[in-house]
Amino acid sequence: MASDDIALLAEALSKTHVGYGELSYKGQGLKLDNTESVKELVREIEEYQGLRALRLEGNTVGVEAAQAIAKALECKDQLQSCHWSDMFTGRLRSEIPTALRSLGSALMTAGARLRELDLSDNAFGPDGIKGIETLLKSSACHSLQELRLNNCGMGIGGGKILAAALTECHEQSSALGAPLKLKVFQAGRNRLENEGATALALAFQLMGSLEEVHMPQNGINHAGVTALATAMQHNPHLRILNLNDNTFTKRGALAMAQALRHLRTVQELNLSFGEITEAAALVLAQAVQDKPHMEKLDLNGNCLGEEGCEALKETMDNMDRADILASLSDDEGEPDEEEDEEVEDEENGKEMKEKGVKDDRESPVKLEPTCHPEILSFLSSLTAETLLKLGDNRTGLIQQHVDVSDPDKVADAFLRISSLYSDDHEVKKAVLETIDILLKKAFSGSSLQTYSFLSTLLVMLGLLKGEGKVKKVQVLPGHLLVLEHAVQQDYFPQDHATLLDTFVARHGKALKSCSHARDSLKSTLERRISPEC
């Protein structure tokens, strides 16, 4: 070992005693290649009684050096924290798994019960995850509370391996009566994409103990975001969620808004740079209204546009929560409609291809093979006469044959039926009864579905810029008068009425061809939101 390296190590060793139970060589820039190079470090470890934390970050450790350190750790049964980030700079990627296996094996041999494991910034890829797989499954990690794997390049494959290891650890620890209760998970910049994120979401849902989740910049789009949002609902103590710079779009944002309704202790939510548009951002804002511990909502860098940013600020201010909204200075403006359609089509096509689903998005309603002949007649030739011909069973028949699980099809059916509204008593009664049954069933679904319905309806009425293939229709007075009736019913949620009011108030000019019906709708919405008015 060169004399200057020995001097560096000697200096580092003089700084090792940082606190009770901790040895730290953090940031010393040591190049530890072989047994000789770690001789003094190993001696320090061996002689340290009651070692609880070992910091090796900011050095570079070779296979032989790692094996020597591992040997010293085999008797350290009180070790709880391993801070081993940025520990393999300049090493061959093929070396790292071997080094990790040696260190992991030592922890298992010692009977250690880890609480913290940080291997961030090691860029070891899926093979590196394989290097810690056995450790993560072992009893040494049954007590693990914090796992940090930022910037490790694990990819989809590594994400799946990690998820499987955490799942097995939870199952084995549960069988012993002390289930794994991971509290902090960090895996930013890892190219997990949808598959890796979805696999981890299943593990998160199983554990149900997370308090902090940081997964920024992972190439996750709405499918993976939705899986994570679902998992978060099963982690009631979640305080911090950072999904910065993943592609939420409308569907991912609405899924997250639904999850937020189940999270009472959330304090910080970072959904910045996620291609979230105005309507979805307003839904998210409403979802944090009743979060007493909320300190920061970050929606910067999304696609709200100037008016959308103002609407979001106004909404937060009206809820007396303006102080928690982060700056919107980097908003990217409303997305180009053609570009938005291309993204939506690409995501939908990929998702349907993966699921083997035929693209039937052009079909306004879902027709069953045994569809009632009068329903077929009504759907193919919409008139008041065909609606009345369905008789008293019209609501049941339409409810049976319109797919209420598809928000776009519900919105389409709503507009087509409400277009028949007239002053004729029988026709008016038939239209309103049919709409009541249709929407009552539709609103009995998840808030993700109902917000998606409302968002689609806003687009079709010209109150919101289109997303995907949803297009504006020619607005008729009946559309607005039936909608006015619907918002007064118990099945129409208060927060949906608030969102609708926001867009009618801001973009009412789009309804100028039906100004009387528009003004009547607006007045009714104001009374619904503020009964004292």
Side-chain angles (χ1 to χ4, degrees), residues 390-407:
L390 294 176
D392 293 338
N393 199 31
R394 72 178 70 89
T395 55
L397 289 171
I398 291 177
Q399 180 180 233
Q400 181 180 351
H401 296 292
V402 175
D403 183 7
V404 296
S405 67
D406 187 324

Side-chain angles (χ1 to χ4, degrees), residues 16-206:
T16 57
H17 296 274
V18 175
Y20 174 72
E22 178 180 291
L23 275 174
S24 176
Y25 307 92
K26 179 180 179 180
Q28 299 298 323
L30 300 173
K31 191 171 185 294
L32 307 174
D33 296 323
N34 50 40
T35 303
E36 180 64 23
S37 67
V38 293
K39 184 176 180 181
E40 292 300 317
L41 186 152
V42 165
R43 181 184 62 79
E44 281 277 333
I45 293 174
E46 289 175 339
E47 293 179 355
Y48 199 109
Q49 300 299 312
L51 180 63
R52 296 179 181 273
L54 178 62
R55 310 193 75 105
L56 295 176
E57 65 265 52
N59 300 290
T60 176
V61 181
V63 172
E64 187 178 329
Q67 290 170 339
I69 294 171
K71 187 67 176 176
L73 292 175
E74 287 182 354
C75 60
K76 301 301 176 181
D77 61 342
Q78 295 183 53
L79 187 62
Q80 297 179 347
S81 301
C82 296
H83 302 278
W84 296 346
S85 62
D86 189 20
M87 200 172 73
F88 298 108
T89 301
R91 301 295 170 180
L92 293 176
R93 189 161 166 175
S94 58
E95 293 181 79
I96 300 175
T98 303
L100 289 172
R101 287 190 186 95
S102 297
L103 292 166
S105 178
L107 297 175
M108 292 185 283
T109 299
R113 293 293 183 268
L114 294 184
R115 296 172 65 88
E116 298 178 75
L117 178 60
D118 186 354
L119 288 166
S120 298
D121 301 317
N122 280 312
F124 45 47
D127 289 341
I129 297 297
K130 292 178 182 177
I132 60 171
E133 181 180 9
T134 302
L135 171 64
L136 290 173
K137 292 178 179 179
S138 75
S139 59
C141 286
H142 287 184
S143 53
L144 192 63
Q145 294 185 8
E146 301 182 19
L147 178 60
R148 295 178 172 85
L149 295 166
N150 290 312
N151 194 29
C152 288
M154 67 176 82
I156 293 172
K160 289 181 175 180
I161 294 169
L162 175 60
L166 291 174
T167 298
E168 184 170 331
C169 182
H170 183 271
E171 290 174 348
Q172 292 188 6
S173 57
S174 296
L176 296 174
L180 170 66
K181 293 184 178 180
L182 191 66
K183 294 182 179 180
V184 178
F185 179 85
Q186 295 185 1
R189 302 185 301 282
N190 270 292
R191 304 192 308 275
L192 292 170
E193 300 184 17
N194 283 346
E195 291 184 61
T198 300
L200 285 166
L202 294 174
F204 296 164
Q205 183 168 328
L206 181 66

